[in-house]
């Protein structure tokens, strides 16, 4: 897990939010959406309130941004995966379009599961500080997660699948200064439709409102359906991205 020093600096998330508000005119210059639905999945112990700024941004860019509508995310992967599968299928059926998934932290783990099991309903996946690879127990929230979720250890086969290839374009946005999860757990396997985008100076708690992360997310979601081109680390936040 990240050391205590990094964990204690997670309060900088407020500065990331303030910076995004100040940079709003610049953020609105990101590639526009085509109106397809985007389902935002919050992190552990968070709710739709945490993704409200993110969803408002996507709505303003022209997407049909939707909340997950399940209250506080208490983990419970094996229960929630069935609930979210039904929600995804309903949204896919009602909209008549494939759904992009944006998952923050644990929400990104759910998003990858949905992409694996419902490829015909998912257009793309963007994760924000999500621990889905390597040793996913390398997190400072492990004991709390186990206590709140009341589930036993995850099935090893499920962990292997979540860390493997996805059938849809997927982008993992992460920070090496993550104070909650080890950043190495956010790195996907090398694949033609997968990439990792480092955002320097971001925090785990604030990456979902970080302006550079929001820009990268918008850029990824704007890709035409069925296509994938690696993220170009250019534009107004170029200096914020790692190599």
């Amino acid at each position: 897990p990240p050391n205590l020093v990094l964990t204690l600096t997670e309060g900088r998330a407020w500065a990331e939010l303030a910076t995004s508000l100040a940079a709003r005119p610049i953020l609105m210059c990101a590639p526009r959406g085509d109106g397809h639905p985007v389902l935002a999945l919050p992190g552990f112990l968070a709710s739709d309130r945490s993704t409200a700024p993110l969803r408002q941004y996507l709505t303003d860019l022209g997407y049909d941004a939707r909340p997950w509508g399940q209250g506080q995310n208490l983990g419970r992967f094996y229960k929630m995966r069935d609930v979210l599968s039904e929600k995804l299928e309903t949204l896919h059926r009602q909209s008549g379009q494939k759904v992009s998934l944006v998952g923050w932290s644990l929400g990104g783990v759910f998003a990858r599961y949905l992409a694996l099991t419902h490829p015909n309903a998912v257009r793309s996946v963007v994760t924000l500080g999500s621990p889905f690879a390597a040793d996913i127990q390398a997190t400072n929230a492990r004991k709390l997660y186990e206590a709140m979720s009341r589930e036993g250890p995850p099935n090893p086969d499920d962990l292997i699948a979540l860390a493997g290839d996805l059938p849809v374009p997927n982008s993992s946005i992460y920070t090496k200064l993550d104070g909650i999860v080890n950043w190495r757990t956010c790195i996907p396997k090398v694949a033609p439709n997968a990439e990792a985008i480092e955002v320097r100076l971001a925090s785990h708690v604030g990456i979902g409102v970080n302006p550079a992360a929001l820009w990268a997310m918008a850029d990824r979601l704007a890709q035409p359906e069925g296509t994938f081109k690696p993220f170009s680390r250019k534009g107004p936040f170029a200096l914020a991205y790692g190599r």
Side-chain angles (χ1 to χ4, degrees):
N3 62 51
L4 182 60
V5 174
L6 277 180
T7 304
L8 293 176
T9 65
E10 283 291 319
R12 65 188 184 278
W14 290 108
E16 293 174 85
L17 175 59
T19 303
S20 286
L21 295 175
R24 180 75 175 183
I26 300 175
L27 285 169
M28 291 309 300
C29 295
R32 305 289 299 184
D34 60 3
H36 79 270
V38 179
L39 181 61
L41 307 174
F44 178 53
L45 297 184
S47 66
D48 287 327
R49 293 180 60 184
S50 68
T51 63
L54 179 154
R55 286 184 285 111
Q56 185 61 58
Y57 176 51
L58 292 178
T59 297
D60 293 344
L61 284 178
Y63 296 95
D64 179 15
R66 304 292 188 95
W68 88 322
Q70 303 300 318
Q72 190 177 27
N73 186 348
L74 299 177
R76 302 173 184 175
F77 174 78
Y78 291 102
K79 174 184 177 182
M80 292 307 303
R81 66 180 186 177
D82 296 330
V83 174
L84 293 175
S85 293
E86 182 177 351
K87 185 175 184 67
L88 171 64
E89 289 290 355
T90 299
L91 182 54
H92 174 51
R93 183 175 62 254
Q94 292 177 345
S95 67
Q97 300 180 79
K98 288 188 176 183
V99 182
S100 286
L101 304 174
V102 175
W104 191 343
S105 191
L106 179 60
V109 177
F110 289 142
R112 289 182 66 88
Y113 169 79
L114 292 174
L116 281 170
T117 55
H118 300 78
N120 293 330
V122 176
R123 172 166 165 166
S124 65
V125 172
V126 177
T127 59
L128 301 160
S130 298
F132 58 82
D135 181 6
I136 65 168
Q137 296 190 62
T139 167
N140 286 315
R142 181 176 64 86
K143 292 184 178 180
L144 182 59
Y145 175 86
E146 292 174 350
M148 297 296 292
S149 67
R150 299 178 182 177
E151 289 184 340
N155 186 317
D157 291 337
D158 291 332
L159 297 181
I160 293 173
L162 288 169
D165 297 332
L166 294 188
V168 301
N170 58 102
S171 302
S172 174
I173 301 174
Y174 73 100
T175 173
K176 290 185 178 179
L177 296 182
D178 196 311
I180 304 299
V181 306
N182 188 306
W183 65 268
R184 295 170 182 84
T185 65
C186 304
I187 307 300
K189 287 178 59 179
V190 176
N193 65 346
E195 65 183 340
I197 304 171
E198 178 195 353
V199 178
R200 296 183 173 124
L201 304 181
S203 66
H204 183 87
V205 176
I207 196 168
V209 293
N210 181 286
L214 291 176
W215 180 280
M217 173 193 67
D219 180 89
R220 301 292 77 200
L221 293 175
Q223 295 181 100
E225 183 175 346
T227 67
F228 178 81
K229 184 178 180 180
F231 179 62
S232 177
R233 289 158 173 76
K234 299 179 180 179
F237 303 102
L239 294 178
Y241 303 116
R243 291 188 298 173

